[in-house]
Amino acid sequence: MRLKIVGLLKRYFKYILLGACLLAVLILELAHHAYVSKLSPQQFVGRWDSKEPFAQVSCFFPEDAGMTGETIMGVERGLAQAMQEASIDTSGADGRTLVDAYSVEETLYVSSLRDGTEVRAFGVSKDFFLFHPLELLDGTYFTREDEASDGIILDENVAWQLFGSSHVAGLPVTIGDATYMVRGVVRADEGHFSEAAKESIPTVYVDFDTMEKLMAVEDEMGGSSYAVDCYEILIKNPVSDFGTTTLKNVMETCGITDYEMVENSTRFEVTARWNRLKNFGARSMNAQGIIYPYWENRARAYEDVSTLLLVLELLLLCYPAVMLGRGILLVWRKRKAIKEFLKNKISGFFFGIMAPNAKKLYKDVYKSRKTKKNKVE
């Protein structure tokens, strides 16, 4: 029995190896898609309830790029005008012209009656949590319906250090000379590359205008001149690259040229992974002085992993490709015999269908002739 099994394995080894290679490729692709689905800041397109195609784009700026809250308002107006000129309906799934968010990263000292700590602080626009759906443990997010957003959102690390609990919505904290109420508490964002991306650093979120006041930044006219680190937008994309091209043109019109743009909606597709493979060394170089936020660092780390997975998949597909090539070559060499074989099979198939009818027709004709002959006699 054992010898029989060994013999079967030897006989069908190449087919077993072929199946194993294809199965391994399938498992790697499923693992890739499973992990990508956990990168929630890069998956807003999938969460946005619309039947129309959208592109999710992120832009990252060095400190001296000149991208401010007022500049973003100009970009929004320019995008709406560009889409109208292209005869594109500018309403979103909920009637909005577009969905965008911007943020800046700073360091603040936050204290309560119990304790105080230095934290990483993000000044964010009111749609930030649409792109970053952090899990709420208590309270609420900032929303665009808020007339004023002068509160603060803590992650659970900060909440436990300041209050010894994660259920602290409504309690006061102090930043500088000002007191702010805790709007909500979120679960600390974590991932496979959390330590390298510094995701576990105690973090708070405040409204962008609040951050601007805390940093005492305004221009001579009293307007906004506080630099933005990251701008994220969901834009209609009726044809490939329409969204990114339109955004680039509008940014240039607004005088913004120093930035890095990433289209999240396509960054983990096979073509993007292949392009990263071709530029594997150069893509890690950054000469623009841009500091990425932790969610982008995590996504970029997984870009490298997904590229290596692509290399493994291509290696695993080498044997199936060789088998396919041998099969095509064998068919070409024996094309005449295969043609004759198929011809005989097809002829036999149709003959099998027609023969019973032909036999019945012959019997009917023979019987009819015999009947006529008998009548004549």
Side-chain angles (χ1 to χ4, degrees):
M1 183 66 180
R2 184 178 179 181
L3 292 175
K4 187 176 181 180
I5 293 174
V6 172
L8 288 173
L9 289 175
K10 288 182 178 180
R11 183 177 179 182
Y12 296 104
F13 175 76
K14 57 183 179 181
Y15 301 108
I16 295 172
L17 183 58
L18 175 64
C21 289
L22 295 176
L23 179 61
V25 170
L26 177 61
I27 291 173
L28 289 175
E29 270 300 297
L30 290 175
H32 165 72
H33 287 290
Y35 192 89
V36 167
S37 66
K38 295 180 180 180
L39 300 174
S40 57
Q42 287 77 34
Q43 302 297 317
F44 186 32
V45 168
R47 298 191 302 272
W48 187 248
D49 185 19
S50 176
K51 295 180 181 179
E52 299 180 77
F54 277 80
Q56 181 188 346
V57 183
S58 296
C59 297
F60 305 97
F61 308 91
E63 189 175 352
D64 58 353
M67 191 67 166
T68 66
E70 288 190 353
T71 309
I72 287 174
M73 288 191 287
V75 170
E76 291 171 342
R77 290 192 294 269
L79 287 172
Q81 182 179 351
M83 288 190 287
Q84 288 173 355
E85 291 175 354
S87 300
I88 295 174
D89 180 15
T90 57
S91 61
D94 61 353
R96 300 176 59 179
T97 301
L98 54 83
V99 184
D100 61 354
Y102 49 93
S103 60
V104 62
E105 181 178 344
E106 296 286 357
T107 301
L108 296 174
Y109 186 84
V110 181
S111 62
S112 67
L113 295 176
R114 182 177 184 267
D115 199 357
T117 183
E118 191 173 74
V119 299
R120 173 177 58 188
F122 287 99
V124 302
S125 65
K126 294 177 182 179
D127 280 336
F128 177 83
F129 293 103
L130 289 177
F131 290 85
H132 303 265
L134 301 173
E135 182 184 349
L136 272 169
L137 302 177
D138 193 26
T140 61
Y141 296 133
F142 304 132
T143 66
R144 62 191 297 267
E145 287 75 22
D146 294 336
E147 293 183 3
S149 302
D150 54 355
I152 184 171
I153 294 176
L154 316 178
D155 77 0
E156 57 185 326
N157 297 326
V158 179
W160 276 97
Q161 185 162 350
L162 295 183
F163 299 101
S165 172
S166 59
H167 298 282
V168 295
L171 296 181
V173 297
T174 301
I175 305 176
D177 298 328
T179 298
Y180 299 92
M181 294 297 173
V182 177
R183 283 285 300 268
V185 178
V186 296
R187 190 176 298 282
D189 205 359
E190 296 179 351
H192 183 68
F193 300 100
S194 58
E195 184 175 349
K198 298 183 179 179
E199 297 174 39
S200 58
I201 292 177
T203 303
V204 303
Y205 304 86
V206 299
D207 181 68
F208 189 84
D209 293 337
T210 300
M211 180 68 83
E212 193 168 35
K213 294 174 183 176
L214 288 169
M215 306 307 293
V217 179
E218 63 178 19
D219 59 26
E220 296 178 355
M221 302 299 293
S224 172
S225 62
Y226 193 37
V228 171
D229 290 343
C230 174
Y231 179 55
E232 301 170 274
I233 183 170
L234 195 68
I235 184 172
K236 286 192 174 180
N237 194 46
V239 295
S240 179
D241 295 331
F242 171 84
T244 53
T245 302
T246 303
L247 182 57
K248 286 177 183 177
N249 293 337
V250 171
M251 296 270 270
E252 185 176 352
T253 302
C254 293
I256 304 299
T257 57
D258 191 8
Y259 62 92
E260 181 177 343
M261 179 179 291
V262 178
E263 185 174 351
N264 294 294
S265 39
T266 59
R267 71 188 299 180
F268 293 108
E269 292 181 354
V270 173
T271 52
R273 295 163 71 190
W274 175 252
N275 289 333
R276 283 193 295 272
L277 180 60
K278 292 191 296 183
N279 303 286
F280 194 75
R283 69 169 296 275
S284 299
M285 301 179 185
N286 180 9
Q288 296 175 289
I290 296 173
I291 299 176
Y292 301 112
Y294 71 85
W295 58 84
E296 177 61 18
N297 278 328
R298 179 174 59 187
R300 290 177 67 83
Y302 190 71
E303 280 182 336
D304 291 338
V305 173
S306 68
T307 303
L308 292 177
L309 288 178
L310 179 63
V311 172
L312 288 175
E313 291 172 14
L314 292 174
L315 291 174
L316 288 167
L317 287 172
C318 286
Y319 184 73
V322 170
M323 290 286 288
L324 178 62
R326 290 181 61 185
I328 293 173
L329 183 60
L330 182 63
V331 169
W332 175 254
R333 287 177 176 176
K334 297 187 176 182
R335 60 188 182 279
K336 292 183 179 179
I338 293 173
K339 182 179 179 181
E340 189 67 26
F341 174 79
L342 292 175
K343 182 179 178 181
N344 292 335
K345 282 291 183 182
I346 293 171
S347 300
F349 174 76
F350 283 106
F351 180 78
I353 295 175
M354 299 298 295
N357 293 330
K359 187 175 182 180
K360 183 176 181 301
L361 180 63
Y362 174 79
K363 286 183 178 180
D364 290 342
V365 171
Y366 177 77
K367 185 177 180 181
S368 176
R369 287 180 178 178
K370 189 174 181 180
T371 303
K372 289 181 180 180
K373 184 177 180 181
N374 291 336
K375 285 182 178 180
V376 171
E377 290 178 353

